[in-house]
């Protein structure tokens, strides 16, 4: 497995492998079994798999965890080697943002995503999806993959990336990987590392609420507002600070009506200091 920190090295390597189908898995590192699953999925669709590890400052708000986000390059590389990644690209900030002055990214060109990026997580994390879209577009230019894999855990992100590829005409197939879960049902996330032992046990409650709504939808209920309000209330009573629990149409993330038969239940809530997200697709 090759590890590159500069675009020059990455490009020189990829130039000698242009006859191969390149798969790409972008990450921010601190890898867990869910990321490894995405790499395995990429390997099934490509000859050569590139994984990027870059904690992207542009997608973090001023009061978010950019500074404390775990940087674990060595153990990440060991995991990626074990799962058969071919290339790790771990650039410093200056490599990704050439006009970064060491203080702010205001000089940088930013992609403005469509309105689907403005609600749910986009409503409480202003500018987050512009940061994601920008860094992913840059990485796509750098790696030039034929296929890229994104996890469904970040469901809204996946929809933004699909829009990015469609609207900016990237010739890249996007493959969605299923969410990896702990045996409790808790979705695996790099941010689970912020949870205390007790919180990690309690964190399974988020998925339990999604499962309750799923059962209600499958049993024929369409009183969406009541279902989401009940879930919010239950989580609040259990000590969560709920950002949102919403029932939306799959793909568009727009509001469903009584005829809708493909939903995604999406949720974001804070347990202690940790903000967690999860979702659950349901088809009747
Ligand atoms: O999902 C993530 O880890 C990040 O948002 C991504 C796609 C690597 C962009 O920084």
């Amino acid at each position: 497995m090759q590890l590159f920190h500069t675009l020059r090295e990455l490009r020189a390597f990829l130039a000698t492998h242009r006859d191969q189908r390149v798969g790409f898995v972008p990450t921010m590192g601190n890898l867990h079994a869910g990321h490894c699953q995405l790499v395995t999925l990429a390997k099934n669709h490509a000859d050569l798999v590139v994984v990027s590890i870059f904690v992207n400052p542009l997608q973090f708000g001023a009061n978010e965890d950019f500074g404390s986000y775990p940087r674990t390059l060595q153990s990440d590389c060991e995991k990626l080697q074990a799962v058969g990644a071919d290339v790790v690209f771990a650039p410093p900030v200056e490599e990704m943002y050439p006009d970064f002055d060491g203080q702010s990214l205001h000089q940088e060109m930013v992609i403005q995503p469509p309105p689907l990026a403005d609600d749910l997580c986009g409503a409480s994390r202003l500018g987050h999806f512009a940061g994601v879209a920008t860094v992913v577009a840059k990485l796509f230019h750098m790696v030039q993959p034929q296929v890229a894999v994104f996890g469904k855990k970040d469901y809204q992100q996946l929809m933004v990336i699909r829009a990015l590829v469609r609207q900016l005409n990237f010739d890249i197939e996007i493959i969605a990987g299923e969410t990896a879960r702990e045996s409790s049902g808790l979705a695996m996330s790099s941010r689970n590392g912020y949870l205390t032992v007790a919180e990690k046990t309690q964190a399974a409650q988020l998925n339990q609420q999604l499962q309750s709504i799923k059962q209600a939808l499958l049993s024929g209920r369409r009183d969406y507002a009541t279902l989401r309000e009940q879930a919010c209330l239950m989580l609040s009573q259990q000590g969560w600070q709920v950002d949102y629990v919403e029932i939306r149409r799959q793909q568009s993330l727009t509001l469903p009506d009584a005829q809708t038969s493909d939903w995604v239940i999406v949720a974001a809530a804070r347990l202690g200091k940790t903000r967690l997200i999860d979702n659950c697709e349901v088809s009747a």
Side-chain angles (χ1 to χ4, degrees), residues 24 26 129 149 194 206 239:
F24 177 47
F129 288 115
V149 178
Y194 298 152
L206 189 60

Side-chain angles (χ1 to χ4, degrees), residues 55-248:
V55 185
N56 174 30
L58 201 61
Q59 70 187 76
F60 287 79
N63 301 319
E64 295 185 352
D65 57 344
F66 174 69
S68 57
Y69 200 89
R71 274 96 169 153
T72 54
L73 184 61
Q74 196 176 328
S75 67
D76 289 346
C77 286
E78 285 161 14
K79 289 174 190 162
L80 291 172
Q81 172 105 52
V83 80
D86 299 287
V87 175
V88 177
F89 178 48
V93 174
E94 301 72 30
E95 195 71 9
M96 290 302 295
Y97 296 107
D99 292 334
F100 177 57
D101 61 6
Q103 302 283 324
S104 111
L105 288 161
H106 286 127
Q107 301 299 326
E108 296 291 330
M109 193 170 296
V110 171
I111 291 176
Q112 179 64 52
L116 98 96
D118 294 341
D119 72 352
L120 305 174
C121 283
S124 52
R125 302 188 68 192
L126 297 181
H128 169 67
F129 288 115
V132 171
T134 302
V135 81
V136 169
K138 287 162 87 78
L139 288 164
F140 281 172
H141 282 304
M142 293 171 178
V143 178
Q144 298 186 22
Q146 277 73 47
V147 50
V149 178
F150 290 81
K152 280 193 192 176
K153 194 200 136 237
D154 296 286
Y155 202 90
Q156 189 178 11
Q157 170 173 283
L158 176 64
M159 298 306 127
V160 170
I161 299 302
R162 287 198 190 283
L164 172 84
V165 165
R166 196 172 56 246
Q167 296 185 10
L168 296 191
N169 311 95
F170 282 103
D171 188 12
I172 299 174
E173 181 189 356
I174 301 298
I175 296 181
E178 294 301 328
T179 302
R181 295 185 182 278
E182 306 286 352
S183 54
S184 66
L186 171 64
M188 287 190 190
S189 163
S190 300
R191 290 192 168 96
N192 291 354
Y194 298 152
L195 298 167
T196 63
V197 175
E199 284 173 341
K200 198 166 177 192
T201 306
Q202 194 189 339
Q205 291 166 344
L206 189 60
N207 184 246
Q208 284 160 11
Q209 287 308 316
L210 302 186
Q211 294 304 321
S212 304
I213 297 178
K214 174 180 177 174
Q215 290 315 319
L217 292 172
L218 291 177
S219 74
R221 282 182 62 179
R222 299 292 180 266
D223 49 340
Y224 303 126
T226 309
L227 291 174
R228 50 171 296 282
E229 278 159 23
Q230 280 171 347
C232 289
L233 183 64
M234 185 63 87
L235 286 167
S236 305
Q237 285 170 348
Q238 290 168 328
W240 294 72
Q241 270 178 276
V242 181
D243 186 350
Y244 62 80
V245 177
E246 292 282 342
I247 303 168
R248 297 293 176 93

